[in-house]
């Protein structure tokens, strides 16, 4: 329910939530859920006065200040305390929480305090952990998420994905590059960092529920000013679809840019990734056999992805024009990337794709990000 209404006080993301309750059982539940979300809340029995007075600050930092009703990024009001907070200024981010909410007057109390929602525990525990974690992480605009997939074998999708990530990072964007292809050579290898310290996909295979965005970013290897989630060199580990979904969602919550290198086969786990992408770039060599193969790949991708566009990689003698390739595939043309002479040799020497700003690959990536990350923060058609 939307109870903030006109004149509500807007609060910034980030910070410590405020709990208002005198119910010891409910308080223990809320403290447990805050701990699961990585939050250390302030606790009061009623609306705290300016400067932090007015209740027991059981989980505060021990300072004299505490937190006020207006300044807390999130307020969790126990059903037992609803009457005590009536008359407080209307604001966003207030939730009425309890265990026995069958009382028909509970909705009236929620309206009186301007609560956005009424949450009943334990049914709403997962939702509440997500709400609290968003506050802790300062959730704002999610990252622009771009997938790259090869329309045919050897099309150069991994090279383009790596170059896009490198150029975004060099432009100052917070960037995470995700290797979504367990049978590929490893994006960390392409970046020259196969021995870099940090977690790989097998470490997330057992993930359940929400993955902390900040913890994810800090745990990944940092290479060329970006974070990369790749596969290790051990036996293949199957990452369940739920874990894929949680990890990609966490990467997006940090904002900036997320680039995903996708396998050509769309299974359930890949579908979970595709559903979270803003755009998929399909890399297709400009010759008829590759276009025929790309048509089959595109059919699977379109079942899930919202926006699929074609990048034509190189021109073959007597091959198809880029516009013709896009027309045959029935998808918009995102551009053409000529084959860059000397690139394989430079990669073998440890220079990642896109590192040379004057190359054709870097120019394509820079132009793409200038359009996609402009003032409108959208990918123009």
């Amino acid at each position: 329910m939307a109870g903030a209404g006109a004149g509500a006080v807007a609060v910034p993301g980030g910070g410590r939530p405020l709990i208002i309750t005198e119910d010891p059982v409910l308080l223990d539940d809320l403290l447990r859920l805050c701990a699961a979300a990585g939050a250390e809340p302030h606790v009061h029995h009623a609306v705290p006065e300016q400067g932090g007075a007015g209740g027991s600050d059981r989980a505060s930092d021990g300072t004299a200040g505490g937190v006020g009703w207006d300044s807390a990024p999130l307020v969790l009001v126990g059903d037992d305390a609803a009457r005590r907070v009536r008359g407080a200024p209307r604001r966003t981010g207030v939730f009425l929480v309890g265990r026995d909410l069958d009382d028909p007057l509970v909705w009236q109390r929620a309206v009186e305090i301007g609560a956005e929602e009424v949450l009943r525990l334990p049914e709403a525990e997962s939702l509440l952990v997500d709400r609290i974690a968003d506050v802790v992480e300062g959730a704002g605009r999610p990252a622009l998420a771009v997938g790259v997939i090869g329309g045919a074998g050897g099309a150069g999708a991994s090279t383009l994905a790596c170059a896009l990530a490198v150029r975004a990072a060099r432009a100052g964007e917070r960037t995470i590059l995700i290797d979504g292809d367990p049978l590929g050579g490893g994006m960390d290898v392409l970046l020259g960092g196969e021995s870099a310290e940090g977690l790989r996909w097998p470490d997330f295979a057992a993930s359940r529920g929400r993955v902390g965005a900040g913890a994810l970013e800090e745990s990944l290897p940092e290479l060329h000013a970006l974070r990369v989630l790749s596969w290790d060199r051990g036996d293949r580990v199957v990452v369940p679809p739920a874990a894929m979904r949680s990890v990609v969602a966490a990467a997006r919550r940090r904002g900036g840019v997320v680039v995903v290198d996708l396998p050509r086969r769309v299974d359930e786990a890949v579908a979970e990734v595709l559903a979270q992408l803003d755009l998929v770039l399909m890399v297709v060599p400009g010759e008829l056999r590759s276009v025929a193969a790309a048509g089959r790949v595109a059919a699977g991708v379109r079942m899930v992805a919202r926006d699929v566009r074609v990048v034509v990689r190189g021109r073959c003698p007597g091959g198809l024009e880029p516009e013709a390739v896009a027309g045959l595939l029935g998808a918009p043309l995102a551009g053409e990337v000529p084959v860059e002479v000397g690139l394989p040799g430079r990669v073998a020497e440890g220079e990642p794709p896109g590192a040379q700003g004057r190359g054709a690959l870097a120019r394509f990536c820079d132009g793409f990000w200038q359009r996609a990350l402009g003032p409108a923060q959208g990918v123009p058609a």
Side-chain angles (χ1 to χ4, degrees), residues 257-343:
V257 164
V258 173
V259 180
V260 185
D261 180 41
L262 296 163
R264 293 172 60 210
R265 179 175 178 271
V266 179
D267 57 17
E268 188 177 353
V270 174
E272 290 286 359
V273 178
L274 286 169
Q276 298 190 61
L277 300 179
D278 298 297
L279 170 68
V280 177
L281 297 176
M282 177 174 292
V283 186
V284 186
E287 51 95 16
L288 191 58
R289 186 164 179 264
S290 295
V291 174
R296 293 189 290 271
V297 176
V301 172
R302 285 195 182 105
M303 293 178 65
V304 186
R306 296 187 292 270
D307 189 349
V308 182
R309 305 184 195 182
V310 173
V311 175
V312 177
R313 186 75 188 273
R315 293 199 185 189
C316 305
L320 299 169
E321 292 293 321
E323 292 78 8
V325 173
L328 289 170
L329 292 172
L333 178 65
E336 178 186 5
V337 181
V339 174
E340 193 166 313
V341 178
L343 179 60

Side-chain angles (χ1 to χ4, degrees), residues 40 96 109 127 129 204 233 324 379:
E40 185 182 2
L96 184 63
R109 293 194 290 274
L127 172 62
V129 169
F204 296 96
R233 255 48 67 186
V379 187

